[in-house]
Amino acid sequence: MSAWETVIGLEIHVQLATKTKIFSAASTAFGAEPNSHASLVDLALPGTLPVLNREAVNMAVKFGLAVGAEINRRSVFERKNYFYPDLPKGYQTTQLAEPIVGTGSMEVVLDDGSRKTVRIHHAHLEEDAGKSLHEDFHGMTGIDLNRAGTPLIEVVTEPDMRSAEEAVAFARALHSLVTAIGVCDGDMSQGSLRFDVNVSVRRKGEEKLGTRTETKNLNSFRFMEMAIRKEVERQIDILEDGGSITQETRLFNGDTGVSRAMRSKEDANDYRYFPCPDLLPVMLSEEQIIELKNSLPELPAQRLVRFVEQFGLSDYDARILSSDLATSDYFEAVVKLSGDAKLAANWIMGELAAKLNAEEKAIAACPVSAEHLAELIARLKDNTISSKIAKQVFEGCWNGEGSPDQIIEARGLKQVSDSGALQKMVDQIIADNAAQAEAYRAADEGKRKKMFGFFVGQAMKASQGKANPQQLNELLQKALEG
Ligand code: ADP
Ligand code: MG
């Protein structure tokens, strides 16, 4: 056991799924020609003024309501002043002293089923910066302002997490929450959700928090976990060698697994924050908040509880199937069509998840429709096919060969349940293996069990896996003990 305890707090940038930017009418669509989605406001031309996007405010409030946070009836935009080529205004418009979302919390279910509450310090609205493109131009840097002014909320947690697993579990829960309530598209490869991890260590039993470092802009759960583990090791090594930790901002390269110091930590003072004179305080009415509250869909945590109660799923299964909206919708569609929650859960978390993983596909792009999976389950339940054959049929569906019924028909996979045909087969097998049958009859109960498998194997081989297993067992038993 380590003598050290890890302490982690997260700052998460969540890109809001508005159509247009937070202070201009330019589109937020990803992947456009550089600078084609940059309006005069985003370019910071003199004389232009920001106009606040109501939808961005609504989404921030929805997030706050979903984490049970205080919603501040009044919040204020401030200017955070710094120079960077992709920030033509010379300041980022953000919130500091009066953010829109106050303290809240999220409960996270960990892998072992235990629950962990992470407090949310606050969440504020702000705009994203542009992008500097260093690779595309020889000896020059390109500036793309398409992303400038994209609305974000920055969610800041208390330092409540105690391991990389807890931090990742929280990050996943946050991802499923913001996508479920529709305030973020959740596409991490496009930077829609970016995590800054603050990490410190302290000796077990110590009250005082250790000095922390902040690793910025992690855009995958895997990188986040790697970065935390590395940083914890690095800090413990330094402290055990009698050194001390420098409070600094670090960068982690996921491809090489190496992190390096970027700059020493700056203070809020360094940025000369002041309230933005171009924007009025954001005032929210009671009715607005109630209306937004009523518009919230079922939250992942509520869905998890419902899946346990309504479908009798285990906590573990319910957590996986409720974790993202597309998966839970797919699951519910299959249950509705097949009437069997247990089989639906098994197939989605088993065969289907394995295929999706192997081909790095999202469930939204799954080639097996909910209708087809439900049909497959129905054929299993009415004994048209065995579970072994069902896997073949599933493969066929995945490869676009048609519906389960079509595939079963075309490939002649129907289970043999005709007792006459099965009886004939059993008789033949016993005649062909007379010595083994003799030995079986002479053996005791314990040995018989093992020997029985041999006959089942022969029968399955003879029927190409299509013999109805239950019927086959009965007929074999009768014939052997006969
Ligand atoms: P600052 O204002 O200097 O950025 P904050 O108090 O806002 O610092 O904290 C920023 C983030 O760092 C929060 O997520 C917080 O939980 C986390 N944090 C603060 N102190 C520590 C610490 N000693 N160890 C780990 N995380 C910390
Ligand atoms: Mg901070």
Side-chain angles (χ1 to χ4, degrees), residues 11 80 96 122 124 154 156 198 212 214 265 273:
E11 293 163 283
K80 179 183 184 180
L96 183 72
H122 78 272
H124 61 259
E154 180 175 339
V156 181
N198 296 273
R212 73 173 191 273
E214 178 176 10
K265 168 93 178 129
Y273 281 91

Side-chain angles (χ1 to χ4, degrees), residues 380-428:
L380 259 171
K381 290 182 66 170
D382 67 14
N383 282 322
T384 306
I385 51 174
S386 65
S387 44
K388 202 165 155 207
I389 295 289
K391 290 189 181 160
Q392 289 178 34
V393 177
F394 181 82
E395 278 285 331
C397 285
W398 183 277
N399 296 328
E401 288 171 31
S403 74
D405 282 341
Q406 288 166 336
I407 293 166
I408 292 165
E409 189 61 43
R411 293 205 202 166
L413 294 174
K414 243 190 203 121
Q415 187 156 259
V416 181
S417 301
D418 170 349
S419 52
L422 280 177
Q423 185 66 56
K424 243 173 105 186
M425 199 172 68
V426 165
D427 291 345
Q428 189 63 49

Side-chain angles (χ1 to χ4, degrees), residues 189-201:
S189 67
Q190 296 179 0
S192 295
L193 220 61
R194 310 193 289 269
F195 296 88
D196 300 347
V197 295
N198 296 273
V199 176
S200 66
V201 298

Side-chain angles (χ1 to χ4, degrees), residues 7-11 121-122 156-160 198-201 209-214 247 265-268:
V7 175
I8 302 163
L10 299 176
E11 293 163 283
H121 181 272
H122 78 272
V156 181
T157 78
E158 295 288 354
D160 283 348
N198 296 273
V199 176
S200 66
V201 298
L209 291 178
T211 303
R212 73 173 191 273
T213 63
E214 178 176 10
Q247 188 169 336
K265 168 93 178 129
E266 59 294 311
D267 261 341

Side-chain angles (χ1 to χ4, degrees), residues 164 168 172 188 195 197 215-231 252-257:
V168 170
R172 286 186 186 279
M188 299 189 46
F195 296 88
V197 295
T215 304
K216 284 226 177 263
N217 265 327
L218 298 163
N219 65 355
S220 90
F221 299 125
R222 202 166 58 84
F223 288 169
M224 189 173 151
E225 184 163 353
M226 281 163 63
I228 294 172
R229 285 189 198 291
K230 286 247 160 177
E231 182 55 16
F252 178 76
N253 183 331
D255 298 326
T256 59

Side-chain angles (χ1 to χ4, degrees), residues 153 259 468:
I153 46 173
S259 81
N468 176 323

